[in-house]
Amino acid sequence: MVNWEERRLIVKVASLYYFEGWTQAQVAKKIGVSRPVISKLLNKAKEQGIVEIYIKDENIHTVELEQRLEKKYHLKEAIVVPTSGLTQDMIKRAIGKATSYYVSKNIKGMDSIGISWGTTVSSFVQEYPYEQHRELKVIPLVGGMGRKFVELHSNLLAYELAKKMNCECSYLYAPAMVEAKELKERLIQSEDIASVLEEGRNVKMAVVGIGSPFKGSTMKVMNYLKEEDIATLKKIGAVGDMSSRFYDALGQPIDHPLNELVIGIDLDELKRIPIVIGVSEGAHKVDSVEAALKGGYLDVLVTDDSTAQSLINAIG
């Protein structure tokens, strides 16, 4: 137990430090003790409940979620966007803005960035500010040709991001997925495609969307996935996809013909990129994001607070 005299001293020290804004050195001089003694007394003030510190800001909720995600999934960084009062489009845009802020802050000194495709990656590109990064090159990580939803394809996104960054980009002149394995083999052996795939394997940073093949799938909307594909993916335990590559609940690539038809870097190659930023929003993607985290593909996750809470609550 702390006696009355010590308690009084603790209160006096805490008052000078927290209310008057004195430094620990100033308080030490006033009381006539060393600075380490003041530090110990301030710690005791918290331990004894004399001082309670709380942060009065709505961001504390998301900051706590970020810290718990980083600890649970061994992430370099988690960025959680608050969603209260926001529509789905506003949430997607907020995630795009948060991703663009992270990339802008961390891209300095790098010579290459890779991007996949999809609606969330598109939001990131739309929100990216105009900057000067002449030394950079933007590389599509998966094929980027098609007649539908051209604005979501990797080639156009690479072009738009390169404009924002005032740098060059490469183009992968092939669709994300082809009809036959023989066609894929012919395409990836062509010099143009092979050289861009090699560039993709060697980027220093990547921004990738995380999808669910069963709910809200852009690949289904774009006719890359047929109903029979979705049925077989479900049957063999697929839970998500990144860069059009499907994986199971543990994040392992699945043995499915569709994975053999993709023109782009594979999941093992993605894992070897120094910084991989996964962007995702929506409760329907929780299983997909959790599996990607278990697979060890992501260094940074940008998501919404609802998804973050579900990931923290997930068992296993």
Side-chain angles (χ1 to χ4, degrees):
M1 284 289 292
V2 177
N3 62 37
W4 177 83
E5 280 189 22
E6 188 179 1
R7 194 173 177 88
R8 178 180 169 280
L9 181 59
I10 290 170
V11 171
K12 185 172 185 176
V13 166
S15 178
L16 289 170
Y17 183 73
Y18 290 110
F19 286 127
E20 302 300 325
W22 289 25
T23 65
Q24 290 188 19
Q26 287 172 324
V27 178
K29 189 175 180 182
K30 166 80 174 175
I31 304 296
V33 295
S34 66
R35 199 199 62 75
V37 170
I38 298 301
S39 181
K40 285 178 184 174
L41 289 172
L42 290 170
N43 282 331
K44 273 193 177 181
K46 285 183 270 189
E47 289 165 10
Q48 298 288 329
I50 294 168
V51 169
E52 291 182 355
I53 296 172
Y54 68 96
I55 300 170
K56 192 178 177 182
D57 190 283
E58 61 181 16
N59 286 314
I60 190 60
H61 165 61
T62 54
V63 169
E64 286 172 350
L65 289 174
E66 288 169 356
Q67 291 169 342
R68 291 172 70 185
L69 281 174
E70 288 164 7
K71 188 174 180 182
K72 181 174 181 179
Y73 295 105
H74 311 291
L75 288 164
K76 180 181 178 185
E77 190 155 351
I79 302 165
V80 176
V81 173
T83 60
S84 179
L86 300 185
T87 64
Q88 204 67 30
D89 283 347
M90 289 163 74
I91 293 168
K92 205 177 284 281
R93 188 172 173 185
I95 286 174
K97 192 180 285 287
T99 308
S100 72
Y101 178 76
Y102 180 86
V103 171
S104 177
K105 195 175 64 172
N106 291 278
I107 199 74
K108 294 172 183 65
M110 295 189 185
D111 61 7
S112 55
I113 179 171
I115 58 169
S116 66
W117 62 286
T119 56
T120 317
V121 177
S122 175
S123 290
F124 151 67
V125 174
Q126 288 170 26
E127 294 298 326
Y128 202 87
Y130 285 92
E131 295 178 338
Q132 295 288 330
H133 293 290
R134 293 180 188 276
E135 73 288 353
L136 259 179
K137 193 171 188 183
V138 183
I139 315 294
L141 301 178
V142 64
M145 287 173 62
R147 293 188 302 274
K148 295 177 73 175
F149 300 98
V150 177
E151 71 279 5
L152 303 181
H153 282 293
S154 59
N155 280 341
L156 187 66
L157 292 177
Y159 169 72
E160 293 292 343
L161 184 59
K163 272 203 308 186
K164 295 280 189 80
M165 291 179 158
N166 196 25
C167 68
E168 293 183 356
C169 70
S170 291
Y171 300 106
L172 200 44
Y173 292 113
M177 200 175 279
V178 293
E179 297 81 22
K181 194 173 178 181
E182 297 75 23
L183 175 57
K184 174 193 169 174
E185 293 303 323
R186 284 205 307 275
L187 286 170
I188 64 174
Q189 284 168 20
S190 75
E191 191 179 337
D192 282 350
I193 291 173
S195 64
V196 178
L197 289 174
E198 186 61 22
E199 283 182 317
R201 293 182 193 105
N202 291 288
V203 295
K204 302 300 188 292
M205 176 186 281
V207 179
V208 297
I210 302 167
S212 164
F214 312 119
K215 301 170 191 170
S217 171
T218 307
M219 290 182 75
K220 183 183 176 186
V221 173
M222 297 172 83
N223 286 332
Y224 280 132
L225 288 182
K226 309 288 190 293
E227 288 298 334
E228 56 267 30
D229 296 325
I230 293 168
T232 55
L233 284 167
K234 188 171 284 189
K235 191 173 181 180
I236 64 169
V239 300
D241 64 88
M242 284 186 294
S243 295
S244 305
R245 304 276 186 174
F246 297 96
Y247 51 85
D248 64 18
L250 294 175
Q252 298 304 305
I254 60 164
D255 185 13
H256 191 283
L258 286 174
N259 270 353
E260 301 302 318
L261 301 177
V262 177
I263 296 182
I265 69 169
D266 63 32
L267 290 173
D268 285 336
E269 290 167 338
L270 180 69
K271 193 182 286 189
R272 290 196 285 270
I273 293 171
I275 300 175
V276 178
I277 304 160
V279 293
S280 182
E281 50 78 30
H284 63 288
K285 292 184 181 178
V286 171
D287 291 344
S288 309
V289 178
E290 186 188 10
L293 290 165
K294 284 181 177 178
Y297 300 108
L298 307 180
D299 302 288
V300 178
L301 175 66
V302 187
T303 192
D304 59 90
D305 52 3
S306 175
T307 301
Q309 189 64 63
S310 297
L311 288 167
I312 288 162
N313 295 341
I315 299 167

